């Protein structure tokens, strides 16, 4: 097994190098046979990656502790599902997963029916193969997944308890699918520039790839936040941790890209901007991987210190410098073919403002993340940048983006007249102001919360009017029933209405953020057996402290009977788990959820006489984060599902079409 598993890595590295070289040679000599040989090698490369990852799954499931990776991240008592998910618990395994996804994407693009006979395919494949060469090099010589120990241990070290959570089964997989997925539009963009194809063909062909990558990044961030909320025991969902930021930054720039490409498709504008955005998004995925694996910043999510960071930094520098060189070499061509804005009050302008806000948010996160490194390099002291900085900077940016999202649907392309602005915005604006006044009357005194909810009301109204006016116009033409008209309207405009559903999802998430950040309540109290804790409308009676054993783990738990406004909600058990093969215990919180708020209970400490210390929080509007997250997923899937490429014909310059 040892020889077979390692052979898949080394042979894969050799095939990746061969595919890159032979495809590059085929492109330069316009030799179709060489190009086809390089494409055929992609199949062998994918098989090698698949066999390598299947080999690792087998070793993990079978508890083959003679392998260093299996020993470091599993134990015999670990459930099979967590033995398998230990694949992405360490550097070597997670990079193996990354490489598998990369070869899968490369294979799908190279043999895509939509790209058959397209001269861009060899260039796209060569760029993706350059990535594959790097990752197979890392697996072959730096972070080797199949290393044998000198002696066979009887037991493994076990998996970090924080990773033994359903969220961590899905979170890394979706995140990596998003990270790797952004390499595809990057490869398309670079290929289009190399071929001097400055039309929007590459954008139309990568639309689905980009949305899919964006969707997986969204899922990765959502599952990561949900994991942090239920597993870390601090009552929050986003701490602006460096590794959280690493996955959030490319999400922001990819979001900006998805919006700005619509302007290029419709108005032939922002070509240089769009290329720049996809370069930045791709670079940020590499930067995030550098942060996770370099050990330069402390994070609960990061892997152990290693020398991998230097390799990723070098590769990122080469990729970015190469991409910028290609962009600058085609700068005049892109500039000559670009359209211009005709009005500042138009849909195009709102898209551009939205882009600037998204990129500004990404830059603020980037600066806050690297500032400790900059301060240490310049002053010799590492300054910590925490929640207050990020919340203070990002909150107004978020509200500004929400306002742009609210007004954008009702703006016209090219130019909006004063008459149309009054007609479209008078009623939504009045209703939003009325809503803000009602909130003040009801006792909401925090200015940012009132403004935030007012903007959300405006967004809901403008988006409702978009659906309403579309259905009304369709019914006028077809005489269909309202629900039938709505269904057919949305089906025929998937991208548009899928985007609106995503907007509504983001509005719900913003509701949850505003509520949980501005109106949360917390208490920490030590009580004797039979004592109680009161917070807001809740009373928690402390009935019992006990312990139990599950396998090699000891669990201390408390029974709490919870009442709300005098009505019994049930008995709940917050726990503290002590793992037999791990030094640090973990908290298993008790959460009582409703659409209005969450009651969050943590068993913090206890004494021999039965006294126990509990942390109790009330987190308003928390469930709206998860409702909004589901809507984002639904909207993205709706926009991309069964979408048509259309009759797009690329314009080729200086390249023989038979090289495909």
């Amino acid at each position: 097994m040892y020889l077979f598993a390692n052979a898949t890595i080394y042979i894969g590295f050799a095939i990746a190098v061969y595919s890159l070289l032979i495809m590059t040679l085929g492109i330069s000599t316009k030799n179709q046979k060489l190009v086809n040989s390089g494409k055929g090698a992609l199949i062998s490369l994918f098989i090698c990656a698949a066999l390598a990852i299947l080999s690792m799954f087998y070793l993990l499931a079978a508890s083959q502790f003679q392998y260093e990776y299996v020993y470091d991240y599993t134990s015999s008592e670990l459930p099979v599902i967590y033995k398998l998910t230990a694949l992405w618990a360490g550097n070597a395994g997670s990079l193996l997963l990354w490489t598998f996804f990369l070869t899968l994407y490369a294979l799908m693009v190279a043999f895509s029916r939509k790209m058959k006979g397209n001269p861009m395919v060899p260039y796209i494949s060569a760029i993706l193969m350059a990535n594959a060469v790097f990752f197979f090099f890392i697996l072959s010589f730096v972070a080797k997944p199949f290393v044998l120990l000198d002696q066979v241990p009887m037991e493994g070290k076990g998996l970090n308890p924080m990773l033994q959570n359903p969220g961590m089964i899905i979170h890394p997989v979706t995140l990596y699918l998003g990270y790797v997925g952004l390499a595809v539009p990057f490869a398309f963009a670079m290929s289009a520039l190399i071929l001097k194809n400055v039309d929007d063909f590459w954008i139309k062909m990568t639309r689905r790839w980009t949305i899919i990558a964006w969707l997986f990044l969204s899922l990765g961030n959502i599952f990561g936040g949900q994991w942090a909320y239920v597993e870390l025991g601090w009552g929050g969902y986003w701490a602006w941790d460096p590794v959280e930021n690493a996955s959030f930054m490319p999400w922001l720039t990819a979001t900006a890209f998805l919006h700005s490409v619509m302007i290029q498709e419709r108005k032939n504008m922002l070509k240089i901007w769009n290329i720049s955005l996809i370069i930045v998004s791709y670079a940020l995925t590499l930067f995030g991987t550098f942060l996770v694996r370099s050990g330069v910043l402390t994070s609960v999510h990061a892997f152990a210190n290693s020398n991998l960071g230097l390799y990723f930094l070098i590769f990122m520098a080469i990729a970015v410098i190469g991409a910028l060189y290609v962009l600058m070499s085609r700068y005049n061509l892109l500039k000559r073919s670009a359209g211009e804005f005709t009005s500042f009050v138009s849909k195009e302008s709102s898209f551009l403002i939205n882009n600037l806000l998204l990129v500004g948010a990404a830059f603020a996160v980037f600066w806050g993340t690297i500032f400790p490194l900059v301060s240490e390099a310049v002053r010799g002291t590492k300054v910590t940048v925490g929640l207050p900085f990020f919340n203070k900077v990002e909150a107004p940016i978020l509200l500004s983006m929400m306002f742009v999202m609210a007004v954008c649907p009702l703006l016209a392309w090219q130019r909006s007249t004063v008459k149309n602005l009054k007609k479209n915005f008078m009623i939504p604006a009045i209703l939003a102001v009325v809503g803000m006044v009602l909130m003040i009357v009801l006792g909401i005194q925090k200015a940012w919360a009132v403004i935030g909810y007012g903007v959300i009301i405006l967004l809901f109204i403008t988006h409702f009017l978009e659906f309403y006016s579309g259905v009304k116009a369709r019914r006028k033409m077809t005489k269909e029933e309202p629900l039938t008209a709505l269904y057919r309207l949305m089906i025929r405009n998937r991208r548009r209405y899928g985007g609106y559903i995503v907007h509504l999802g983001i509005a719900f998430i913003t509701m949850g953020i505003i509520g949980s950040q501005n109106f949360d309540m917390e208490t920490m109290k030590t009580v004797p057996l039979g004592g109680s804790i009161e917070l807001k409308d809740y009373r928690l009676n402390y009935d019992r402290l006990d312990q139990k054993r599950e396998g090699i783990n000891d669990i201390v738990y408390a029974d709490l009977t919870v009442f709300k406004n005098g009505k019994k909600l049930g008995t709940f058990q917050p726990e503290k788990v002590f793992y037999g093969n791990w030094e640090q215990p973990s908290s298993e919180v008790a959460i009582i959820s409703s659409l209005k708020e969450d009651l969050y209970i943590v068993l913090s400490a206890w004494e021999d006489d039965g006294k126990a210390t509990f942390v109790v929080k009330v987190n308003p509007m928390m469930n709206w984060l998860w409702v909004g997250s589901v809507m984002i997923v639904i909207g993205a899937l709706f926009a991309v599902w069964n979408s048509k490429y259309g009759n797009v014909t690329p314009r080729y310059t200086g390249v023989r079409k038979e090289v495909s």
Side-chain angles (χ1 to χ4, degrees):
M1 187 66 184
Y2 170 76
L3 293 175
F4 174 80
N6 278 286
T8 61
I9 300 296
Y10 292 115
I11 293 174
F13 176 60
I15 293 173
V17 172
Y18 169 80
S19 180
L20 174 61
L21 293 178
I22 204 70
M23 205 167 296
T24 304
L25 184 61
I27 292 170
S28 61
T29 61
K30 295 180 170 54
N31 189 318
Q32 182 64 36
K33 290 183 178 179
L34 294 180
V35 170
N36 288 341
S37 178
K39 286 178 62 178
L42 289 176
I43 301 174
S44 301
L45 187 64
F46 172 73
I47 292 172
C48 284
L51 290 174
I53 204 168
L54 288 173
S55 298
M56 180 59 81
F57 275 136
Y58 168 75
L59 296 175
L60 291 167
S63 296
Q64 299 293 303
F65 297 128
Q66 67 269 33
Y67 288 86
E68 183 180 25
Y69 193 86
V70 180
Y71 168 73
D72 283 341
Y73 298 107
T74 66
S75 61
S76 55
E77 291 83 7
L78 200 64
V80 174
I81 184 63
Y82 291 123
K83 287 182 180 180
L84 296 176
T85 57
L87 173 70
W88 43 84
N91 268 320
S94 62
L95 290 173
L96 183 59
L97 180 68
W98 186 300
T99 306
F100 171 75
F101 287 149
L102 180 60
T103 59
L104 176 62
Y105 277 127
L107 189 69
M108 292 171 67
V109 173
F111 291 93
S112 168
R113 183 174 58 86
K114 298 292 183 180
M115 295 296 292
K116 186 176 181 180
N118 192 303
M120 292 178 66
V121 171
Y123 294 87
I124 296 167
S125 300
I127 292 169
L128 292 177
M129 280 305 95
N131 282 264
V133 167
F134 171 74
F135 280 96
F136 269 104
F137 169 81
I138 293 294
L139 292 174
S140 298
F141 304 107
V142 184
K144 302 178 181 180
F146 303 108
V147 176
L148 286 173
L149 296 170
D150 295 332
Q151 295 181 339
V152 181
M154 296 296 295
E155 185 56 83
K157 292 181 180 179
L159 184 65
N160 187 329
M162 290 192 298
L163 303 181
Q164 298 178 40
N165 179 275
M168 294 307 290
I169 297 174
I170 309 172
H171 164 63
V173 176
T174 53
L175 205 57
Y176 287 2
L177 281 167
Y179 274 157
V180 182
L182 285 177
V184 175
F186 171 79
F188 267 87
M190 292 300 101
S191 301
L193 288 182
I194 293 170
L195 291 170
K196 298 183 180 180
N197 296 333
V198 294
D199 54 19
D200 59 359
F201 171 76
W202 73 272
I203 285 177
K204 292 178 179 178
M205 296 306 293
T206 56
R207 180 187 303 154
R208 181 179 294 182
W209 291 106
T210 309
I211 294 176
I212 289 172
W214 180 89
L215 172 60
F216 280 124
L217 271 179
S218 302
L219 286 170
N221 285 311
I222 290 165
F223 284 117
Q226 198 274 340
W227 166 78
Y229 185 61
V230 302
E231 185 66 25
L232 299 184
W234 63 295
Y237 45 87
W238 197 266
W240 298 106
D241 177 274
V243 177
E244 292 175 345
N245 296 346
S247 62
F248 187 48
M249 288 184 288
W251 184 89
L252 289 169
T253 55
T255 304
F257 174 75
L258 283 172
H259 284 79
S260 62
V261 293
M262 287 189 275
I263 301 179
Q264 179 172 339
E265 288 181 64
R266 191 177 182 103
K267 298 296 179 182
N268 202 34
M269 301 175 182
L270 302 180
K271 291 185 175 182
I272 297 172
W273 176 258
N274 287 330
I275 297 284
S276 301
L277 278 178
I278 203 59
I279 292 173
V280 169
S281 299
Y282 170 73
L284 285 174
T285 65
L286 297 176
F287 176 73
T289 312
F290 160 74
L291 280 184
V292 175
R293 289 168 173 80
S294 63
V296 297
L297 291 172
T298 302
S299 166
V300 70
H301 309 272
F303 295 107
N305 291 2
S306 72
N307 60 345
L308 276 172
L310 178 61
Y311 289 95
F312 274 94
L313 199 60
I314 293 171
F315 181 66
M316 179 175 65
I318 293 172
V320 172
I321 291 171
L324 291 177
Y325 171 78
V326 174
L327 174 60
M328 295 310 297
S329 68
R330 303 292 188 264
Y331 179 82
N332 290 330
L333 185 63
L334 289 166
K335 190 175 181 181
R336 283 200 304 269
S337 62
E340 296 181 356
F341 284 98
T342 57
S343 172
F344 288 108
V345 185
S346 63
K347 199 178 289 290
E348 299 97 306
S349 296
S350 69
F351 274 49
L352 180 58
I353 293 170
N354 176 272
N355 263 235
L356 294 174
L357 290 169
L358 285 165
V359 173
F363 177 77
V365 175
F366 177 79
W367 178 245
T369 303
I370 67 166
F371 185 77
L373 299 178
V374 175
S375 66
E376 186 176 29
V378 175
R379 303 175 57 188
T381 303
K382 184 177 286 189
V383 177
T384 302
V385 178
L387 280 166
F389 167 80
F390 289 106
N391 288 343
K392 189 173 183 178
V393 172
E394 296 295 330
I397 295 178
L398 173 63
L399 288 184
S400 299
M401 284 192 291
M402 295 295 296
F403 179 76
V404 174
M405 287 164 54
V407 302
C408 178
L410 301 185
L411 292 174
W413 289 101
Q414 291 188 327
R415 186 184 301 274
S416 294
T417 65
V418 175
K419 181 179 179 181
N420 284 338
L421 288 175
K422 287 182 179 180
K423 178 183 176 182
N424 292 336
F425 289 106
M426 183 66 72
I427 294 177
I430 291 174
L431 291 176
V433 171
V434 170
M436 293 167 68
V437 171
L438 287 175
M439 281 184 275
I440 295 172
V441 171
L442 293 173
I444 298 177
Q445 302 295 326
K446 294 188 176 183
W448 278 113
V450 173
I451 295 171
Y453 284 131
V455 171
I456 291 171
I457 291 171
L458 180 65
L459 186 147
F460 282 141
I461 294 171
T462 57
H463 280 63
F464 169 79
L465 290 176
E466 271 293 281
F467 281 90
Y468 174 78
S469 60
V471 170
K472 183 179 179 181
R474 182 173 179 84
R475 290 192 69 203
K476 187 175 181 180
M477 292 186 297
T478 64
K479 310 301 181 184
E480 295 170 341
E481 293 296 321
L483 291 179
T484 303
L486 175 63
Y487 171 76
R488 292 179 177 172
L489 174 73
M490 293 177 66
I491 289 296
R492 284 164 171 75
N493 299 273
R494 286 181 174 274
R495 188 180 179 192
R496 179 181 184 182
Y497 289 99
Y500 287 158
I501 294 171
V502 171
H503 287 181
L504 294 174
I506 292 174
F508 282 126
I509 289 175
T510 307
M511 283 172 52
I513 292 173
I514 294 172
S516 60
Q517 293 292 318
N518 287 277
F519 304 107
D520 62 315
M521 302 176 69
E522 179 178 348
T523 185
M524 183 174 182
K525 188 174 181 181
T526 301
V527 292
L529 281 168
S532 64
I533 301 172
E534 294 189 3
L535 181 66
K536 200 181 176 184
D537 303 327
Y538 297 93
R539 187 179 82 251
L540 293 75
N541 292 344
Y542 173 34
D543 301 325
R544 183 171 66 135
L545 182 72
D546 206 344
Q547 65 181 51
K548 57 186 177 182
R549 189 171 182 85
E550 291 184 358
I552 61 172
N553 304 330
D554 292 313
I555 301 174
V556 178
Y557 65 93
D559 282 343
L560 294 166
T561 304
V562 179
F563 298 85
K564 182 178 183 181
N565 294 322
K567 182 181 178 181
K568 183 178 178 179
L569 299 181
T571 301
F572 300 88
Q573 292 183 341
E575 301 176 347
K576 187 77 75 174
V577 183
F578 294 84
Y579 294 85
N581 53 6
W582 203 265
E583 292 182 4
Q584 297 294 328
S586 69
S587 295
E588 295 295 328
V589 301
I591 303 175
I592 307 169
S593 292
S594 68
L595 287 177
K596 180 182 178 183
E597 62 196 12
D598 280 4
L599 180 66
Y600 191 94
I601 311 167
V602 182
L603 174 60
S604 180
W606 56 90
E607 301 171 16
D608 293 338
D609 62 0
K611 287 183 179 179
T613 302
F614 298 93
V615 176
V616 182
K617 293 191 68 173
V618 175
N619 292 324
M621 310 292 286
M622 269 301 303
N623 264 316
W624 291 103
L625 270 82
W626 319 130
V627 171
S629 299
V630 172
M631 289 192 66
I632 285 178
V633 174
I634 292 173
L637 288 175
F638 184 82
V640 77
W641 194 266
N642 199 30
S643 63
K644 304 297 183 184
Y645 285 91
N647 296 319
V648 290
T649 304
R651 179 163 58 87
Y652 305 114
T653 307
V655 167
R656 288 172 59 183
K657 188 169 183 177
E658 62 266 23
V659 178
S660 60

